[in-house]
Amino acid sequence: MPELLPADSAMGAVTLRVADLDAMTAYYRDAVTLTVLAAEGGRVILGRGATPSVILEHAPELKHASPGEAGLFHTAIVFDSQEALAAAVYSVARRAPGTFTGSADHLVSQAFYFTDPEGNGVELYWDRDRSQWSWTHGQVEMDTLYLDPNGFLREHLTERGATLAELPSLDTAADDPRFGDAVVGHVHLSVGDVASARAFYVDRLGFEATASLGSSALFVSAGGYHHHMAMNTWNSRGAGVRRLALGLGEVQLRLPGADDVGALTERMRHYGVPTRDDGRSVSFDDPWANAVRVVAEA
């Protein structure tokens, strides 16, 4: 049996290489309702509280990836209440209405989908309590059911939430009215084939497979979450190694402690996966050169 990631592992920030730093900062700050936590030179870190979710790195010299290449399918930000999710969805609807691409009830969660100004997928969602999830033979039951966005807003948008969309741009104001937690709940990648994704993310990295859609998609997690990562071939079947381009820079995986990072590093080296260690974190590439950086929470 392969070694597993610690049960309390979690996703960290997703780094995006962007052409227009100001426009992308405005989208994630003003529409998605994240807060600018730090900004220096060509790098902007956005999140809630002290937790980064999206890191934007200015790379105007790069081109957009071609359709069909491996890379980011979407960054999924989970909100801690339906009220906070409704506030963010309403904010995007008011400030960037053309970026909405759909919504769905997945049984384990309620989700809204968008595409940022540079074509990166974004999911904003809320999880139902784990006691309401159903598992069959080790696989979590998920579906894609209709979710009426206007009905969701009518039910869950409060006066407090609606005010977020009416406010001027906010950076790090002390009276920032954003409320609730919002962190990266999962990251969905576009890959060339599911078998290689399973070999890397399950057999080597140590996630557990929680759901699959034949040869088109795989969902994996640590600790019984519905999924921390997913890999699909819906737009990218047969894709090879990514070239350097705008879009995904790296995905961050957070483990409980330094010993856990060390154990994973040794495991990846055992499997012949090249690793990069900067003294604070360790990173490596999946078969399509999607970079994963592993850091310790403590």
Side-chain angles (χ1 to χ4, degrees):
M1 184 174 177
E3 293 183 66
L4 299 177
L5 290 169
D8 46 356
S9 301
M11 303 309 295
V14 172
T15 298
L16 301 175
R17 300 188 186 101
V18 305
D20 188 333
L21 185 61
D22 290 342
M24 290 286 278
T25 299
Y27 181 79
Y28 284 96
R29 179 191 62 206
D30 303 336
V32 178
T33 71
L34 299 179
T35 303
V36 173
L37 304 180
E40 185 175 351
R43 195 167 188 260
V44 177
I45 301 173
L46 299 106
R48 286 276 181 91
T51 306
S53 293
V54 177
I55 299 173
L56 305 176
E57 292 185 346
H58 197 206
E61 73 282 0
L62 298 180
K63 306 290 187 185
H64 287 282
S66 302
E69 288 194 46
L72 182 70
F73 189 72
H74 63 234
T75 300
I77 298 172
V78 59
F79 291 79
D80 63 358
S81 69
Q82 288 166 300
E83 180 195 10
L85 173 59
V89 170
Y90 181 69
S91 176
V92 182
R94 290 295 302 271
R95 293 177 178 270
T99 66
F100 175 73
T101 58
S103 55
D105 188 318
H106 294 305
L107 302 182
V108 295
S109 63
Q110 293 176 308
F112 297 84
Y113 296 93
F114 307 87
T115 302
D116 77 18
E118 296 195 2
N120 301 291
V122 181
E123 176 184 341
L124 308 180
Y125 74 109
W126 166 80
D127 276 332
R128 289 190 171 89
D129 189 81
R130 289 194 183 204
S131 64
Q132 299 180 50
W133 303 355
S134 294
W135 294 80
T136 304
H137 303 301
Q139 301 288 285
V140 67
E141 293 185 22
M142 294 189 288
D143 205 337
T144 300
L145 307 177
Y146 177 68
L147 175 61
D148 177 10
N150 293 313
F152 181 86
L153 291 179
R154 281 194 298 271
E155 185 173 355
H156 299 293
L157 183 65
T158 62
E159 182 177 351
R160 176 172 70 158
T163 59
L164 285 181
E166 312 300 333
L167 293 166
S169 295
L170 290 165
D171 284 321
T172 54
D175 58 348
D176 191 335
R178 296 173 179 88
F179 58 89
D181 258 348
V183 299
V184 175
H186 66 267
V187 178
H188 204 142
L189 300 177
S190 294
V191 300
D193 72 278
V194 166
S196 297
R198 182 184 290 271
F200 184 85
Y201 285 100
V202 176
D203 299 339
R204 297 180 181 181
L205 186 53
F207 279 118
E208 293 181 277
T210 57
S212 62
L213 300 173
S215 63
S216 67
L218 173 69
F219 300 81
V220 303
S221 83
Y225 190 54
H226 53 72
H227 66 295
H228 284 113
M229 296 192 73
M231 307 91 206
N232 75 66
T233 61
W234 298 329
N235 303 319
S236 55
R237 185 175 297 277
V241 175
R242 295 175 60 209
R243 61 185 176 87
L244 188 62
L246 294 170
L248 181 63
E250 66 179 29
V251 173
Q252 188 181 95
L253 175 61
R254 306 187 71 85
L255 303 188
D259 288 347
D260 301 302
V261 175
L264 175 58
T265 302
E266 289 305 310
R267 185 159 76 244
M268 299 304 275
R269 288 173 178 163
H270 168 76
Y271 285 114
V273 178
T275 61
R276 302 177 292 274
D277 187 341
D278 65 7
R280 299 182 306 278
S281 62
V282 176
S283 58
F284 39 80
D285 295 339
D286 77 4
W288 301 274
N290 295 308
V292 178
R293 181 175 300 278
V294 183
V295 299
E297 291 279 13

